[in-house]
Amino acid sequence: MSSYTSISPDKVARLIGTVKAPTLIDVRIDEDFATDPRLIPGAMRRSHQDLHDWAPRLTGQSVVVICQKGQKLSEGTAAWLRQSGIAAETLEGGHLGWTETQKPAVPAKMIPKRDGRGRTAWVTRARPKIDRIACPWLIRRFIDPTAVFLFVAPSEVEAVGERFDATPFDIENVFWSHRGELCTFDVMVKEFGLSTPPLERLATMVRAADTARIDLSPEAPGLLAASLGLSRMFDDDHEQLDAAMLLYDAFYRWCRDATGETHNWPTNKVKP
């Protein structure tokens, strides 16, 4: 049973991917991390020894601290954060408790290098429609909530990536791109170790809408229509992305929680 200062893996799993997800801080020492170099989706590695350097950035956030077994490192780190006025809990059972229940974990080697402020940076073509909106949603909800996205002229994506240390995606001849019949969103779900039933279902919707294969998913026409509508509503790509985050939040929650729910208008019965 969770205490007032701890939270269960199941509860954290329900929060990840939603707007209510806490900030996840992984404080495992290098030796423990080396035994399983993966991260709980959305988590960022920090050293407990540098606590006083990075803790001020967490002011106003709800934090869950993760160590190997949910013992001294996470307990001590969370206690220091709480005395600084930051709402902090520990993850019950730590990283081992999470993985023992076969919950998804992200290979750290797949996450691009972070900048001095702890953010990953990504670059793609301007005027996004479907894949180039779905991928940023996935990254911000499951990989890096602070991720930065640059939208530039198609011919300049790779050069901008090199000059500004940003990872290119959804263009030809880069790692994060279409592969065969799969779209970039499919590839990210697979490579980031996020192949859960809800995200696989959402990936099918995205692929169907993005590759003109509407037959793959009954929901794809709705996603396509909403995506094209948003692209007409906003001239600024970042404003469009911000608006579309809610759209993908809704589709994800439907995929996770509501696929079996239907609504029928009641038929008026004629009284005898």
Side-chain angles (χ1 to χ4, degrees), residues 92-136:
E92 289 180 359
H95 184 81
L96 286 178
W98 178 272
T99 57
E100 284 173 357
T101 57
Q102 298 184 334
K103 290 180 171 58
V106 179
K109 66 180 181 180
M110 303 308 300
I111 302 175
K113 176 184 174 183
R114 297 176 184 269
D115 66 12
R117 295 173 60 181
R119 306 171 300 181
T120 58
W122 305 75
V123 60
T124 191
R125 296 169 288 139
R127 305 310 301 145
K129 299 295 188 298
I130 300 168
D131 217 4
R132 284 167 288 146
I133 292 292
C135 291

Side-chain angles (χ1 to χ4, degrees), residues 47-266:
S47 172
H48 71 285
Q49 296 176 327
D50 301 328
L51 169 64
H52 301 295
D53 294 329
W54 52 261
R57 302 177 189 173
L58 303 178
T59 300
Q61 302 177 39
S62 295
V63 179
V64 174
V65 183
I66 306 153
C67 68
Q68 183 77 337
K69 298 179 180 179
Q71 297 174 351
K72 57 182 178 293
L73 280 184
S74 56
E75 284 282 351
T77 301
W80 269 109
L81 293 176
R82 288 195 297 272
Q83 73 83 32
S84 300
I86 298 168
E89 300 173 291
T90 62
L91 178 67
E92 289 180 359
H95 184 81
L96 286 178
W98 178 272
T99 57
E100 284 173 357
T101 57
Q102 298 184 334
K103 290 180 171 58
V106 179
K109 66 180 181 180
M110 303 308 300
I111 302 175
K113 176 184 174 183
R114 297 176 184 269
D115 66 12
R117 295 173 60 181
R119 306 171 300 181
T120 58
W122 305 75
V123 60
T124 191
R125 296 169 288 139
R127 305 310 301 145
K129 299 295 188 298
I130 300 168
D131 217 4
R132 284 167 288 146
I133 292 292
C135 291
W137 173 85
L138 184 77
I139 291 166
R140 283 190 174 166
R141 291 290 184 255
F142 292 90
I143 304 302
D144 175 16
T146 64
V148 174
F149 295 95
L150 308 177
F151 298 99
V152 303
S155 61
E156 303 302 321
V157 172
E158 291 188 82
V160 169
E162 292 175 1
R163 287 293 184 94
F164 292 89
D165 204 14
T167 301
F169 70 98
D170 204 45
I171 63 169
E172 293 183 354
N173 302 317
V174 299
F175 183 82
W176 299 109
S177 188
H178 287 226
R179 298 180 190 173
E181 294 185 352
L182 301 180
C183 65
T184 309
F185 187 86
D186 287 297
V187 172
M188 287 191 173
V189 168
K190 177 182 177 182
E191 295 287 355
F192 283 133
L194 298 172
S195 296
T196 62
L199 284 176
E200 290 284 0
R201 186 160 192 163
L202 181 56
T204 301
M205 293 170 57
V206 172
R207 185 188 331 127
D210 190 59
T211 62
R213 294 197 58 192
I214 301 300
D215 57 297
L216 294 177
S217 169
E219 296 75 32
L223 174 58
L224 176 61
S227 300
L228 296 181
L230 284 170
S231 73
R232 299 301 191 276
M233 292 169 62
F234 297 96
D235 293 328
D236 185 280
D237 294 340
H238 294 96
E239 290 183 0
Q240 180 187 343
L241 174 58
D242 290 343
M245 291 293 288
L246 181 61
L247 175 68
Y248 278 90
D249 285 341
F251 275 119
Y252 173 66
R253 289 301 298 273
W254 177 80
C255 289
R256 196 187 76 176
D257 302 325
T259 56
E261 184 174 342
T262 60
H263 291 271
N264 297 306
W265 184 260

